[in-house]
Amino acid sequence: AKTGGKGRLEVFQPSHHTAMLQRDAVRAELSGALDAGQLQLHYQPIVDIPTQRVIGFEALLRWRHPERGLVSPLEFIPLAEENGLIVPIGRWVLQEAIRQAAEWQNRSPLGRLRMSVNVSVRQFQHPDLVHDVADALARSGLEPSLLTLEITESLFAQDIEATSRKIGLLKDLGVRLALDDFGTGYSSLSYLRRFPIDTLKIDKSFIDGVATSLEGHALVAAITQLGQNLHLEVVAEGLEDGDQLQALRALDCPLGQGYHFSRPLSAGDAVKLMLIGKKP
Ligand code: C2E
Ligand code: CA
Ligand code: CA
Ligand code: CA
């Protein structure tokens, strides 16, 4: 490596340039990925903690890239948000997850399974969202109450009147709303009263400490209690071990989701799970 100010610049520039080229390449490829059928959904079980029964799934997006293999949504969702591709991609996710849920609704021995779908801020704000949800529900025949839309607190930092109106329209369709990553964002608790939220998903960062630190335990206890008092359903996210499960059970946290129960599964593996009632 070269030394001195100029040298450092030269070292910095190529890598910066490479990163930009990669971003542009990913962006270009991503716009083709949807048409090429490279996007897929995986499904992670949501489990009733007292009975350990699967009550539904969260749909999680995957990009099956021809050279890079399975690409994480953490790598491409932020890019898709930035360039607007999240709108057509999100529309596809809604249609596919709802279609899948309707198919499972009629066939699963586990009974009435719910489906959760993540909706990003930009997708939420798009004028077509309510229509897209209504349309996918109507075409699939899925009972609206089996669909949960997962939104984040960052929505409350946007135009609050518009957000409020749209939340009302979505509730009118009969779907459920969950507040994802609860506790990590712009948490003004008054929004829990102001908006018809059904579910709080306690972020993994809180669950990580529930069995190992007093403060961690106290935080999860407080959020669980808040949920009970406001008649909100609570899901513990990123539940990874038996100690956490025990702690959550003792706190009467009703629902859990995490590797301890199951990783996100392909549709085929999710069906196997439903048929045999345990991890494939
Ligand atoms: P999220 O909505 O908070 O989803 C939960 C993430 O935690 C998923 O990561 C899941 O695989 C992971 N996870 C679940 N249990 C555990 C656990 O026990 N331990 C650990 N370490 N991780 C666990 P994934 O699938 O990589 O998704 C990351 C994020 O990408 C999601 O976070 C969500 O914000 C976003 N995302 C995924 N699919 C979609 C989508 O269809 N639309 C939108 N807008 N965003 C999506
Ligand atoms: Ca989520
Ligand atoms: Ca989450
Ligand atoms: Ca998250």
Side-chain angles (χ1 to χ4, degrees):
K2 291 173 189 163
T3 51
K6 188 163 179 283
R8 242 180 260 130
L9 248 186
E10 279 172 4
V11 170
F12 174 69
Q13 270 182 337
S15 69
H16 181 63
H17 186 60
T18 307
M20 266 181 19
L21 280 181
Q22 274 169 359
R23 263 163 85 89
D24 284 349
V26 171
R27 186 171 300 166
E29 278 187 285
L30 185 55
S31 61
L34 185 57
D35 296 330
Q38 292 169 5
L39 298 186
Q40 302 185 336
L41 295 181
H42 279 193
Y43 301 92
Q44 188 176 33
I46 300 174
V47 175
D48 179 66
I49 288 179
T51 62
Q52 302 226 32
R53 289 170 64 114
V54 175
I55 62 114
F57 292 92
E58 176 177 358
L60 293 161
L61 192 55
R62 300 289 180 263
W63 179 5
R64 195 169 286 282
H65 190 280
E67 286 109 41
R68 295 168 65 209
L70 221 51
V71 182
S72 159
L74 296 173
E75 276 190 59
F76 65 88
I77 297 259
L79 268 178
E81 268 272 311
E82 211 176 282
N83 64 23
L85 274 174
I86 193 65
V87 172
I89 290 175
R91 185 177 291 131
W92 176 82
V93 170
L94 270 170
Q95 286 170 354
E96 178 61 13
I98 290 173
R99 184 199 64 73
Q100 188 62 262
E103 188 185 312
W104 290 344
Q105 166 184 250
N106 299 323
R107 289 206 338 218
S108 163
L110 297 180
R112 302 160 38 80
L113 288 172
R114 296 204 218 146
M115 181 66 76
S116 279
V117 178
N118 292 288
V119 177
S120 71
V121 170
R122 186 141 177 194
Q123 187 189 0
F124 185 93
Q125 289 174 328
H126 195 276
D128 288 349
L129 178 73
V130 179
H131 170 268
D132 287 345
V133 173
D135 184 60
L137 284 170
R139 277 198 281 165
S140 69
L142 183 72
E143 214 179 286
S145 65
L146 292 179
L147 178 67
T148 301
L149 300 179
E150 299 196 0
I151 58 178
T152 57
E153 292 158 320
S154 49
L155 262 189
F156 303 142
Q158 315 294 319
D159 176 350
I160 211 68
E161 291 310 321
T163 299
S164 179
R165 245 193 328 273
K166 195 166 277 190
I167 283 182
L169 291 172
L170 289 168
K171 286 305 296 176
D172 287 345
L173 295 178
V175 306
R176 300 173 61 88
L177 289 179
L179 209 44
D180 203 357
D181 306 338
F182 182 71
T184 60
Y186 183 80
S187 311
S188 170
L189 292 180
S190 64
Y191 289 122
L192 293 182
R193 243 186 2 163
R194 170 144 181 212
F195 296 115
I197 301 292
D198 301 284
T199 303
L200 299 182
K201 297 193 79 172
I202 309 178
D203 192 69
K204 179 183 191 317
S205 57
F206 297 103
I207 305 307
D208 285 343
V210 70
T212 50
S213 91
L214 282 176
E215 293 83 358
H217 186 269
L219 280 171
V220 176
I223 299 175
T224 307
Q225 194 65 52
L226 178 74
Q228 277 173 9
N229 293 344
L230 295 179
H231 306 290
L232 298 169
E233 184 180 70
V234 174
V235 182
E237 281 199 288
L239 205 173
E240 289 186 343
D241 63 47
D243 291 343
Q244 293 167 355
L245 176 60
Q246 240 182 330
L248 289 160
R249 190 181 278 130
L251 290 173
D252 283 330
C253 179
L255 299 172
Q257 177 182 355
Y259 295 170
H260 179 65
F261 297 121
S262 169
R263 289 182 177 257
L265 305 168
S266 66
D269 283 344
V271 168
K272 281 184 207 150
L273 173 85
M274 288 181 237
L275 294 178
I276 65 178
K278 56 176 197 277
K279 281 185 223 179

